[in-house]
């Protein structure tokens, strides 16, 4: 009799927890791949040791915050999803998308593809974002069920309260896909440089936040069905030896419309002659950067198809950086990113923790493959029009090949 009661209790607790899958996607902005090897992150290392850890997570080009966060949640390259930089032009209409401009970042017309939360909602799940680029749009089909407009001053613990609150909602209202975002290591990497003590202090504090979050998640009813994916959007390279490229000097006397700053600038020539002149001048002065015609961009950068991409592109190599009117307030940075994703300094991290992940270490994973991976963990049918490939990452999933 006792055995039967125990068995019934076990079954009822399993039924209570339900068999619904839950996913928490955490982004630590600018957290370079090697920060986990500094002896500063016991909590994340513990999660990585019990789950999946990639050597690094390769960003898409350009290795900036918005294009990469949006690629992680859509599985597409920027040339397909349309968020091609943190700031860019629609050359047809003259409209500008700009991080920090709440009107353009909430305008759903800029965002192509389908986010993981839109995919989940289309298939009957609720979703929530404690911040994520692209989560604040006005269109109710495109935004998550629950979200907050970005406010970088919200404390870590307030963000944790949101996440724990959502996962504690009654089942019918509870989101199954939740995102959480922290900008701290990006801010400190720019300010102090990736190898500075000031940056290490921030890495350590962020790991303590993850530790507090983990303790609180363990108390939740859904914990056995929760997979946690910790990523970063890109890494950081030292700009201590920065070399500024002054476009106004190189292009003196020529007419030009330029968009971008730092590692990448794009030109929108008024006609073929203007294009030829700009190209010739930029080619003559090609030092610390490479000038490409749009159609000649290296195929591996996947950055030539979108109509918002300029017809000429100049891509800098670190520690070179383009100085334009858009870049003024970034001049004193001791670290930067946005460069070619083949550079290891641009790589971020990937940790997968929970019953869905194999306990293993693997090599570099591409961030466009995370969307199909997350769909597989949640049992969702992914948007078929993506660049990411489940075949490249499904060996990370437990009970898959
Ligand atoms: P960057 O280093 O220029 O690629 O951009 C990083 C900055 O983007 C962070 O320091 C944040 O201030 C900002 N940021 C991150 N997420 C958002 C968001 N959802 N909305 C507005 N700004 C954001
Ligand atoms: Zn970033
Ligand atoms: Zn940054």
């Amino acid at each position: 009799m006792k055995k039967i009661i125990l068995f019934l209790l076990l079954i009822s607790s399993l039924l209570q927890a339900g068999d619904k899958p839950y996913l928490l996607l955490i982004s630590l902005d600018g957290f370079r791949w090697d920060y986990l090897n500094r002896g500063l992150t016991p909590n994340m290392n513990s999660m990585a040791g019990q789950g999946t850890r990639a050597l690094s997570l390769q960003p898409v080009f350009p290795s900036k915050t918005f294009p990469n966060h949006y690629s992680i949640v859509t599985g597409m390259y920027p040339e397909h999803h349309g968020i091609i930089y943190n700031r860019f032009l629609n050359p047809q209409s003259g409209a500008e998308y700009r991080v920090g401009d709440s009107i353009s970042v909430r305008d759903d017309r800029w965002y192509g593809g389908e986010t993981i939360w839109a995919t989940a909602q289309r298939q009957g799940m609720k979703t929530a974002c404690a911040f994520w680029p692209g989560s604040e749009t006005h269109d109710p089909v495109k935004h998550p069920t629950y979200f907050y407009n970005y406010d970088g001053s919200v404390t870590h613990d307030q963000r944790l309260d949101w996440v724990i609150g959502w996962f504690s909602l009654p089942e019918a209202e509870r989101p199954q896909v939740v995102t959480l975002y922290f900008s701290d290591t990006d801010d400190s990497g720019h300010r102090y440089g990736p190898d500075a003590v000031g940056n290490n202090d921030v890495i350590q504090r962020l790991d303590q936040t993850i530790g507090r979050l983990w303790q609180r998640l363990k108390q939740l009813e859904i914990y056995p069905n929760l997979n946690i994916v910790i990523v970063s959007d890109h890494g950081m390279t030292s700009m201590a030896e920065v070399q500024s490229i002054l476009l106004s000097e190189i292009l003196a006397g020529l007419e030009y419309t330029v968009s971008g700053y730092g590692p990448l600038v794009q030109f929108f020539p008024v006609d073929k002659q203007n294009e030829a002149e700009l190209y010739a001048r930029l080619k003559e002065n090609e030092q610390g950067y490479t000038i490409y015609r749009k159609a000649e961009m290296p195929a591996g950068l996947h950055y030539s198809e979108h109509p918002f991409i300029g017809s000429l592109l100049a891509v800098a190599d670190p520690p070179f950086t383009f100085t334009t009117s858009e870049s003024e307030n970034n001049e004193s940075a001791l670290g930067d990113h946005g460069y070619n994703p083949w550079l290891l300094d641009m790589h971020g991290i990937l940790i997968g923790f929970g019953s869905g992940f194999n306990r293993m270490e693997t090599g570099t994973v591409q961030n466009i493959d995370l969307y199909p991976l997350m769909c597989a963990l949640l049992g969702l049918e992914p948007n078929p029009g993506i660049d990411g490939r489940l075949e490249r990452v499904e060996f990370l999933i437990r009970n898959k090949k």
Side-chain angles (χ1 to χ4, degrees):
M1 187 63 183
K2 215 173 172 185
K3 269 190 183 159
I4 293 174
I5 291 172
L6 276 176
F7 179 72
L8 288 175
L9 278 175
L10 179 71
I11 292 286
S12 86
S13 76
L14 281 176
L15 284 177
Q16 258 178 24
D19 53 5
K20 284 188 175 177
Y22 293 88
L23 178 81
L24 174 59
L25 171 64
I26 306 172
S27 166
L28 313 179
D29 201 316
F31 199 103
R32 198 169 74 183
W33 68 278
D34 63 306
Y35 292 178
L36 290 175
N37 305 337
R38 296 185 175 186
L40 302 168
T41 52
N43 294 297
M44 282 193 266
N45 290 89
S46 172
M47 292 175 101
Q50 294 170 53
T52 292
R53 174 178 175 176
L55 175 66
S56 71
L57 185 66
Q58 184 173 37
V60 294
F61 180 78
S63 49
K64 285 280 181 196
T65 297
F66 269 58
N68 275 282
H69 276 91
Y70 204 62
S71 285
I72 290 167
V73 294
T74 58
M76 287 180 168
Y77 289 113
E79 68 175 355
H80 294 143
H81 66 51
I83 304 299
I84 59 163
Y85 212 57
N86 283 351
R87 181 171 181 170
F88 56 92
L89 284 175
N90 173 341
Q92 279 80 40
S93 71
E96 188 186 44
Y97 179 98
R98 184 165 54 83
V99 172
D101 163 34
S102 53
I103 295 182
S104 62
V105 299
R106 292 177 197 164
D107 183 343
D108 45 81
R109 290 173 298 181
W110 293 102
Y111 301 93
E114 185 179 75
T115 60
I116 184 78
W117 56 83
T119 305
Q121 280 166 190
R122 190 163 52 74
Q123 294 170 59
M125 294 182 180
K126 298 220 167 3
T127 63
C129 290
F131 306 142
W132 200 274
S135 65
E136 302 171 22
T137 57
H138 293 298
D139 180 350
V141 175
K142 285 192 171 179
H143 71 62
T145 320
Y146 314 109
F147 69 97
Y148 292 96
N149 290 329
Y150 188 69
D151 176 357
S153 70
V154 173
T155 62
H156 286 195
D157 286 314
Q158 175 65 67
R159 298 177 201 209
L160 303 195
D161 288 346
W162 288 343
V163 170
I164 299 298
W166 284 325
F167 280 139
S168 308
L169 284 171
E171 190 174 343
E173 288 138 56
R174 191 186 303 150
Q176 286 174 261
V177 182
V178 173
T179 73
L180 172 62
Y181 167 85
F182 298 101
S183 72
D184 305 56
T185 40
D186 182 71
D187 303 336
S188 61
H190 285 298
R191 189 173 315 136
Y192 307 115
D195 301 311
V197 176
N199 190 44
N200 283 343
D201 292 343
V202 172
I203 293 169
Q204 208 160 13
R205 276 204 297 278
L206 199 49
D207 183 71
Q208 288 159 5
T209 298
I210 298 295
R212 289 199 301 283
L213 172 63
W214 195 13
Q215 288 312 315
R216 295 180 68 181
L217 291 170
K218 282 180 190 168
Q219 315 299 317
L220 297 176
E221 191 188 305
I222 59 129
Y223 185 69
N225 299 325
L226 176 67
N227 285 303
I228 303 170
V229 177
I230 306 181
V231 298
S232 50
D233 50 348
H234 51 72
M236 190 69 67
T237 197
S238 171
M239 298 303 277
E241 313 283 320
V242 64
Q243 304 241 33
S244 285
I245 307 166
L246 290 171
L247 278 178
S248 53
E249 281 182 10
I250 295 177
L251 299 176
L254 292 180
E255 185 184 348
Y256 63 95
T257 305
V258 67
S259 158
Y261 54 90
L264 170 67
V265 290
Q266 328 205 11
F267 297 91
F268 300 90
V270 286
D271 54 29
K272 284 285 160 207
Q273 192 196 332
N274 183 223
E275 180 173 332
E277 286 168 352
L278 288 172
Y279 184 85
R281 185 74 69 80
L282 287 158
K283 195 77 192 165
E284 271 165 38
N285 290 276
E286 202 177 37
Q287 201 214 333
Y289 69 87
T290 310
I291 176 77
Y292 297 102
R293 291 190 184 86
K294 183 172 177 176
E296 292 166 356
M297 276 294 273
L301 291 180
H302 301 276
Y303 202 74
S304 56
E305 282 186 16
H306 201 279
F308 299 170
I309 297 174
S311 25
L312 297 177
L313 297 116
V315 182
D317 302 312
F320 287 85
T321 186
F322 289 103
T323 301
T324 66
S325 57
E326 292 175 11
S327 52
E328 273 153 12
N329 41 14
N330 210 20
E331 299 239 284
S332 57
L334 285 175
D336 207 4
H337 56 89
Y339 296 98
N340 192 318
W342 305 332
L343 299 168
L344 203 47
D345 272 3
M346 294 300 107
H347 287 209
I349 56 164
L350 170 63
I351 296 170
F353 177 86
S355 60
F357 284 99
N358 279 322
R359 186 173 177 160
M360 68 188 297
E361 286 186 23
T362 188
T364 295
V365 171
Q366 298 183 46
N367 72 5
I368 48 159
D369 293 335
L370 294 176
Y371 167 85
L373 178 78
M374 293 188 290
C375 285
L377 288 167
L378 290 160
L380 293 171
E381 195 59 49
N383 166 20
I386 58 171
D387 299 303
R389 288 285 161 263
L390 182 60
E391 306 87 88
R392 288 195 288 242
V393 285
E394 66 184 339
F395 66 96
L396 304 176
I397 299 179
R398 197 176 287 181
N399 300 326
K400 286 257 179 168
K401 58 184 168 187

